[in-house]
Amino acid sequence: DNVTLLYYATFAVQNPNQDNSCCPRNDWNTINANEDWFLHNSAGERWQHPVYPEGTYFHMKTSNPNYRTHIALLFENITKFDPKIDGIFADDSAGSYAGWVNYGLGIPWARPPPPPYTQQEYEQAVILTAQRIKQQMGTKILFTNGATPIFMPYVDGGMIEDFAVKTGTSGNA
């Protein structure tokens, strides 16, 4: 049987109002209105990722229980009312805090990064997020982009994302 998973940026969110947004979403106004759902840097600015243009990609504060509840209820509603959707593919997850903040292939941060979570705090936040989503979605499938040991007990599967790189002397991908 075929399985249909809906892609949703979960642990980070792209602003769908930007011209280059890949990820339309119907909950941006709700998310945008809750400043405490965003991770902030030491200057108090929303933490933006350097790979994406200004104002488009923000890391979410998954330790915030209100954000976790919002995303869990959203996923429950999506999967409950569309029988063609078997579950959610939750993007922007990583197995370590260092991996999450350093995603970007070495591009330097334009702004200071946020005060770091410890690895233990990061793991606790993503585990609680996955648990809350699964609790709300029931038997629907939850896959993460990050098939790492911290996620696997709490989700139905994961993808190991990688980038194809040509080996040899040319250095071209």
Side-chain angles (χ1 to χ4, degrees), residues 86 134 137-141 156:
D86 299 305
K134 276 302 290 179
M137 287 179 30
T139 60
K140 295 292 186 168
I141 298 168
D156 300 300

Side-chain angles (χ1 to χ4, degrees), residues 10-144:
T10 305
F11 299 91
V13 174
Q14 290 191 345
N15 178 348
N17 299 321
Q18 300 295 320
D19 291 338
N20 62 344
S21 177
C22 72
C23 312
R25 54 189 310 140
N26 61 2
D27 65 333
W28 172 251
N29 290 339
T30 301
I31 289 174
N32 195 39
N34 287 279
E35 198 62 36
D36 61 330
W37 293 2
F38 291 86
L39 214 50
H40 293 85
N41 65 21
S42 56
E45 303 162 318
R46 288 180 182 179
W47 185 26
Q48 300 185 86
H49 205 281
V51 171
Y52 301 91
E54 180 79 18
T56 62
Y57 183 91
F58 304 99
H59 283 277
M60 302 310 294
K61 188 175 184 179
T62 56
S63 60
N64 184 307
N66 294 322
Y67 177 73
R68 290 195 303 263
T69 295
H70 166 76
I71 207 77
L73 290 171
L74 176 71
F75 290 173
E76 176 193 33
N77 287 330
I78 289 169
T79 57
K80 183 178 182 179
F81 294 110
D82 189 341
K84 298 182 296 289
I85 304 292
D86 299 305
I88 299 290
F89 174 74
D91 198 6
D92 300 310
S93 56
S96 71
Y97 181 70
W100 193 54
V101 299
N102 293 318
Y103 168 78
L105 309 176
I107 297 171
W109 293 98
R111 297 181 166 158
Y117 282 125
T118 65
Q119 177 63 23
Q120 183 177 5
E121 290 168 331
Y122 172 79
E123 288 182 14
Q124 183 68 18
V126 297
I127 287 168
L128 288 171
T129 303
Q131 286 177 320
R132 182 69 178 93
I133 292 169
K134 276 302 290 179
Q135 174 191 29
Q136 204 66 42
M137 287 179 30
T139 60
K140 295 292 186 168
I141 298 168
L142 177 63
F143 262 57
T144 57

